Amino acid sequence: DGGITQSPKYLFRKEGQNVTLSCEQNLNHDAMYWYRQDPGQGLRLIYYSQIVNDFQKGDIAEGYSVSREKKESFPLTVTSAQKNPTAFYLCASTAQGLLAKNIQYFGAGTRLSVL
Amino acid sequence: GQNIDQPTEMTATEGAIVQINCTYQTSGFNGLFWYQQHAGEAPTFLSYNVLDGLEEKGRFSSFLSRSKGYSYLLLKELQMKDSASYLCAVRDLGNAGNMLTFGGGTRLMVKP
């Protein structure tokens, strides 16, 4: 089955700790995105990547880092510099190209909490 | 940048029709998307409009007026399972990477 897999579903972070959220897709999509969602709010873009070995900051990149070493994978690290990391994190991907509507498809999300 | 507004909450009755509005301001409009998100789950794609008019897909329809910067999502024959948040998102030609800007979402509660 094609899709986007995020893991873990729930994650707890201790103060001063870096944690990494996994996002894998087998849709052969070129572009991948990370969003943060706070309770009752919309989605805010953290980072995005249009191609392997390239990524760009979104609106709220401070305290986060990413890598894109493989087309299928776009992990997000929440660093100790992110002082308010408790949120629901969503990964998305989209096909590129003129014929593609560039619909973003989402993974099931990771809920991060601080201990 | 973009500014997207939608009502925070709406309530409707099972079997009824509800219209969720979305207004936006953007310099280079390149498509509007509606997503449904049940509590604690990922958003799922509902509809896409890039030209003016109505797109119908079963019980759900979405309308766009580019000149007015306005869209609505129409849900007919409401069911209890339609209780969810509905997110309006806009793509702008000025956004690299096909980025979407999301509104805050409208939480719809369907009552018996």
Side-chain angles (χ1 to χ4, degrees):
Chain A
D1 271 35
I4 304 173
T5 303
Q6 287 188 243
S7 62
K9 192 173 177 67
Y10 300 95
L11 186 59
F12 297 92
R13 193 191 89 166
K14 295 179 183 177
E15 199 169 329
Q17 186 182 39
N18 292 357
V19 292
T20 297
L21 284 61
S22 170
C23 179
E24 304 274 332
Q25 55 98 359
N26 60 4
L27 301 167
N28 200 32
H29 284 172
D30 293 301
M32 297 185 74
Y33 309 81
W34 273 106
Y35 292 93
R36 170 183 171 137
Q37 187 176 35
D38 292 282
Q41 312 237 341
L43 279 62
R44 292 185 291 166
L45 183 66
I46 305 172
Y47 268 98
Y48 69 97
S49 169
Q50 291 181 269
I51 196 169
V52 174
N53 291 324
D54 186 60
F55 48 83
Q56 306 295 330
K57 292 182 179 179
D59 300 320
I60 54 165
E62 188 174 346
Y64 301 97
S65 66
V66 293
S67 63
R68 187 87 186 276
E69 296 177 4
K70 298 186 299 181
K71 187 176 185 178
E72 305 79 23
S73 179
F74 191 40
L76 173 74
T77 297
V78 184
T79 75
S80 57
Q82 173 49 246
K83 298 305 179 189
N84 184 24
T86 298
F88 189 43
Y89 290 86
L90 288 160
C91 177
S93 71
T94 185
Q96 306 273 54
L98 292 175
L99 296 180
K101 292 179 181 177
N102 301 122
I103 297 166
Q104 289 190 16
Y105 295 95
F106 288 84
T110 293
R111 192 165 298 280
L112 176 62
S113 303
V114 176
L115 287 175
Chain B
Q2 294 88 54
N3 190 28
I4 301 173
D5 289 312
Q6 47 181 136
T8 306
E9 285 188 358
M10 298 183 71
T11 302
T13 305
E14 191 176 15
I17 299 172
V18 71
Q19 177 175 313
I20 303 174
N21 296 325
C22 172
T23 58
Y24 64 89
Q25 294 172 322
T26 182
S27 53
F29 177 81
N30 191 28
L32 187 143
F33 299 77
W34 284 97
Y35 284 84
Q36 179 191 61
Q37 185 180 25
H38 285 99
E41 298 182 11
T44 55
F45 169 74
L46 287 178
S47 69
Y48 167 72
N49 296 72
V50 67
L51 299 175
D52 290 350
L54 189 68
E55 293 278 343
E56 296 187 79
K57 199 185 288 186
R59 293 190 299 115
F60 293 8
S61 304
S62 57
F63 171 82
L64 175 67
S65 169
R66 288 173 296 171
S67 62
K68 295 181 179 177
Y70 167 69
S71 173
Y72 67 72
L73 181 70
L74 193 71
L75 291 74
K76 303 176 187 174
E77 301 169 18
L78 279 173
Q79 301 176 9
M80 298 299 291
K81 67 179 182 179
D82 297 329
S83 292
S85 287
Y86 292 86
L87 308 176
C88 173
V90 172
R91 186 169 63 213
D92 189 300
L93 283 170
N95 288 349
N98 290 306
M99 284 189 301
L100 300 181
T101 300
F102 285 82
T106 298
R107 192 168 72 177
L108 173 66
M109 287 174 281
V110 179
K111 295 186 174 180

